[in-house]
Amino acid sequence: MSKVRVRFAPSPTGFLHIGGARTALFNWLFARNQGGTFILRIEDTDEVRSSEESVGAILRGLSWLGLDWDEGPTAYTERQLEPGAKWQEDSGKGIYMPYYQMNAFREGIYKKPADQLLNEGKAYHCYCTPEELESMRTRAMLAKRPPKYDGRCRDLTDALRKEHEAKGRKPVVRFKTPVEGTTHFEDIVRGHVSFENSLLDDFVLLKTSGIPTYQFAVVIDDHRMKITHVIRGDDHLSNTPRQVLIMEALGWGDFARGLKFAHLSMILGPDGTRLSKRHGATSVEEYQKQGYLPEAMVNYLALLGWSTEDSQQLFKIDDLIQKFSLERCGKSAAIFDPVKLLWMNGEYIRALSKPELAQRCLPFLKEAGLAASGEITPYLESCVALEQEKIKLLTDVPRLVDFLIRDDFVFDEKSVEKVLKVPGAIGLLMEIAGKMRTLSEFTAASTEKLCRDYAAEKGLKAGAVFHPVRVATSGRTQGPSLFHYLEVLGKEKCLARIDKTCATLAVH
């Protein structure tokens, strides 16, 4: 078998959504598993909806997930992935350029095969107006027939053709679909698939502008790029017979028969309906902004429609590549479970080294004004490490550690009322502070012993000492291990905070 060549071919009409990211991932995993080539192709022939902003969002999303492409637009490492970048100015890398369909159109790549089909009578010019097409659809639906093109321009006389052109009508090019027989293909996920040709219409190959439709451009590009496997969502299943017919009409029967298809199951929300914004974030960049780790996202996406025999849940990327196979992809719809994704993200966060965790948190700390230098300091790393076991999202971190970094942290009013504004609280804190000043070593162990000894001496429960110290130094009753964060804060800061709290309470 020839070397595996797969492609992810998004239409840049929006951001990289979950379904597209899953398709890209499965193509990438298959290519890496087989030692093949992963191609990124931008299918931007929708002149109205395609945008450079969407291209940038797609490239940024793939880059964040770590899905590097072997051929395609200029690699993300070679230029900045900023909004507004002129992506189409890049011809890309690879031997089958261009990888933007509009660039291929401008180079005339689609004209020759279209002319071939016209010359051989396998395609024809259609002059129907949008109003006429809408009328056809309406009549068909009223008659309870499939709303498809009725073929009225299929055998136009030269006289009628000239009459339409004299009226200024610009034609599209339609494929002359066989009216009899079946078109079938083998699908790695779904097995043998067959479509009755009579149920297909004479679909458009070229628009009035000469720009190819998706159905036509995808066939030409897959052929010229020598694609061996088409791995995509099952919403494309009904497109496949049309594309196979085009290949056969162009004399590419051997290519069509050698091409392997794998149509991936649909992704549904927890309520069993198609995944949409009502279920939460749908774009990859939204999850990045929410503080998910890319490796957790990749792990979770891999399990949407694929599994190992032993139902393994957590994978390192090399393990995922080694175990991935299209044969293990299921036919049933995959359910996107945000609760499981959140759990998985927490697992990945806990597995990070402390320096790596701090580095991953840096953008969120900077945004919150907690990393003024723009760099991770040893102190900042220690602060983040205190809460590693609790963090589920990187966006949690600023809220969890801000009191350690800011001396002007906000006191929780309920905590103050419940813990500090009780008889004896100020005296207790002042005595604890006095004892802390005598400590030669200010560690978690030494401060805990001090507080426990004080409680025993005064006949108090340990909590009656711990809680005032916590609120005085953090402003809240919840947080990381008290004595461990006291050690991170250090003796000077702890005493300054207790002194300030006592002074403030005394005034009030």
Side-chain angles (χ1 to χ4, degrees):
M1 187 178 74
S2 60
K3 183 179 179 181
V4 164
R5 290 177 60 81
V6 297
R7 68 351 183 239
F8 175 55
S11 176
T13 56
F15 300 106
L16 179 64
H17 55 80
I18 292 299
R22 193 271 303 263
T23 297
L25 173 62
F26 280 28
N27 275 277
W28 184 86
L29 287 172
F30 183 65
R32 296 294 175 259
N33 175 275
Q34 297 290 313
T37 300
F38 175 59
I39 299 163
L40 175 61
R41 186 173 74 218
I42 305 298
E43 298 191 341
D44 55 348
T45 56
D46 186 335
E47 314 101 295
V48 176
R49 299 170 60 217
S50 293
S51 70
E52 289 178 348
E53 179 185 1
S54 293
V55 176
I58 290 168
L59 299 188
R60 289 194 300 272
L62 292 174
S63 302
W64 178 68
L65 291 171
L67 306 183
D68 55 323
W69 51 95
D70 305 303
E71 297 179 20
T74 299
Y76 58 90
T77 54
E78 296 173 33
R79 53 180 307 169
Q80 297 298 310
L81 298 175
E82 296 297 331
K86 301 297 182 181
W87 297 104
Q88 290 186 338
E89 293 178 1
D90 290 334
S91 57
K93 58 174 185 174
I95 60 176
Y96 298 106
M97 293 188 294
Y99 293 93
Y100 288 92
Q101 286 187 334
M102 282 304 292
N103 286 349
F105 163 69
R106 295 182 187 103
E107 292 184 15
I109 286 173
Y110 307 111
K111 186 177 185 307
K112 184 177 178 181
D115 287 345
Q116 176 187 332
L117 293 176
L118 285 167
N119 293 335
E120 295 177 358
K122 297 174 182 176
Y124 59 92
H125 287 110
C126 171
Y127 295 85
C128 293
T129 64
E131 294 75 18
E132 289 170 338
L133 294 172
E134 182 59 34
S135 176
M136 278 181 223
R137 281 191 288 268
T138 301
R139 287 199 304 274
M141 291 174 71
L142 289 173
K144 296 183 178 180
R145 300 193 312 268
K148 65 178 186 176
Y149 180 67
D150 65 10
R152 66 181 60 182
C153 291
R154 189 176 175 112
D155 298 301
L156 277 184
T157 63
D158 287 340
L160 279 174
R161 189 177 296 109
K162 288 177 181 178
E163 182 181 327
H164 288 318
E165 291 174 354
K167 292 178 181 178
R169 291 194 181 190
K170 292 185 178 180
V172 299
V173 174
R174 287 185 181 274
F175 184 73
K176 191 175 284 189
T177 303
V179 295
E180 296 179 343
T182 60
T183 299
H184 52 88
F185 56 91
E186 297 297 324
D187 190 280
I188 296 172
V189 177
R190 303 184 179 278
H192 186 77
V193 182
S194 179
F195 286 83
E196 295 289 334
N197 291 337
S198 60
L199 299 177
L200 306 175
D201 62 352
D202 288 357
F203 51 92
V204 177
L205 300 178
L206 299 182
K207 293 175 264 190
T208 56
S209 59
I211 294 174
T213 61
Y214 160 77
Q215 299 286 16
F216 191 52
V218 70
V219 170
I220 307 308
D221 288 331
D222 282 349
H223 182 262
R224 73 183 179 88
M225 293 179 184
K226 298 187 178 347
I227 300 302
T228 63
H229 295 72
V230 173
I231 306 167
R232 57 189 179 186
D234 64 3
D235 53 328
H236 285 287
L237 191 64
S238 61
N239 290 326
T240 307
R242 295 175 173 87
Q243 292 160 13
V244 169
L245 285 170
I246 294 172
M247 296 176 209
E248 292 175 345
L250 287 168
W252 300 342
D254 288 344
F255 175 71
R257 287 183 288 275
L259 192 59
K260 308 296 183 186
F261 292 96
H263 287 90
L264 308 174
S265 62
M266 186 181 294
I267 300 175
L268 304 178
D271 59 358
T273 61
R274 192 179 184 113
L275 190 66
S276 66
K277 287 187 177 180
R278 69 176 177 276
H279 298 114
T282 57
S283 81
V284 167
E285 284 193 300
E286 286 180 84
Y287 284 96
Q288 180 182 4
K289 291 174 183 175
Q290 288 178 14
Y292 285 87
L293 298 180
E295 53 267 50
M297 200 72 200
V298 164
N299 192 153
Y300 184 71
L301 289 174
L303 297 175
L304 291 178
W306 173 83
S307 63
T308 57
E309 290 185 12
D310 59 355
S311 299
Q312 182 178 342
Q313 295 296 299
L314 298 174
F315 298 83
K316 291 184 177 180
I317 193 62
D318 289 342
D319 189 30
L320 197 56
I321 290 171
Q322 180 184 356
K323 294 182 178 180
F324 183 80
S325 71
L326 293 173
E327 288 76 14
R328 292 291 306 172
C329 292
K331 298 179 185 178
S332 301
I335 303 298
F336 187 88
D337 182 358
V339 175
K340 182 175 180 179
L341 172 60
L342 186 62
W343 163 80
M344 188 171 287
N345 201 61
E347 292 293 310
Y348 271 88
I349 285 175
R350 284 187 283 280
L352 292 174
S353 68
K354 289 176 172 53
E356 179 64 19
L357 174 61
Q359 198 61 46
R360 300 289 189 98
C361 294
L362 183 57
F364 302 96
L365 292 169
K366 286 172 64 177
E367 186 177 353
L370 300 176
S373 68
E375 297 179 354
I376 292 295
T377 62
Y379 179 72
L380 206 56
E381 182 181 311
S382 297
C383 292
V384 172
L386 284 170
E387 292 284 41
Q388 185 164 6
E389 291 301 310
K390 294 181 184 177
I391 300 168
K392 292 183 178 179
L393 296 170
L394 297 181
T395 45
D396 294 339
V397 176
R399 170 181 56 82
L400 293 171
V401 305
D402 60 347
F403 79 92
L404 292 165
I405 300 166
R406 291 194 175 117
D407 288 324
D408 59 344
F409 57 87
V410 178
F411 278 79
D412 174 61
E413 291 184 11
K414 290 184 179 179
S415 299
V416 172
E417 290 290 334
K418 181 180 179 180
V419 177
L420 298 184
K421 288 187 177 181
V422 297
I426 295 179
L428 181 152
L429 287 171
M430 292 177 68
E431 289 183 2
I432 288 290
K435 291 179 177 294
M436 283 183 173
R437 284 187 172 88
T438 66
L439 289 176
S440 57
E441 288 187 353
F442 200 81
T443 64
S446 66
T447 54
E448 181 175 3
K449 183 177 186 306
L450 183 153
C451 289
R452 289 189 182 279
D453 289 348
Y454 179 83
E457 177 188 331
K458 299 294 184 180
L460 300 171
K461 291 183 177 180
V465 178
F466 294 177
H467 294 322
V469 173
R470 179 184 288 279
V471 177
T473 54
S474 72
R476 59 188 78 170
T477 56
Q478 301 295 322
S481 165
L482 170 62
F483 302 107
H484 286 92
Y485 88 66
L486 291 181
E487 180 177 331
V488 169
L489 274 174
K491 184 175 182 178
E492 184 178 338
K493 278 189 177 183
C494 285
L495 290 172
R497 290 185 178 193
I498 293 174
D499 290 346
K500 182 179 179 181
T501 299
C502 290
T504 302
L505 289 172
V507 170
H508 291 82

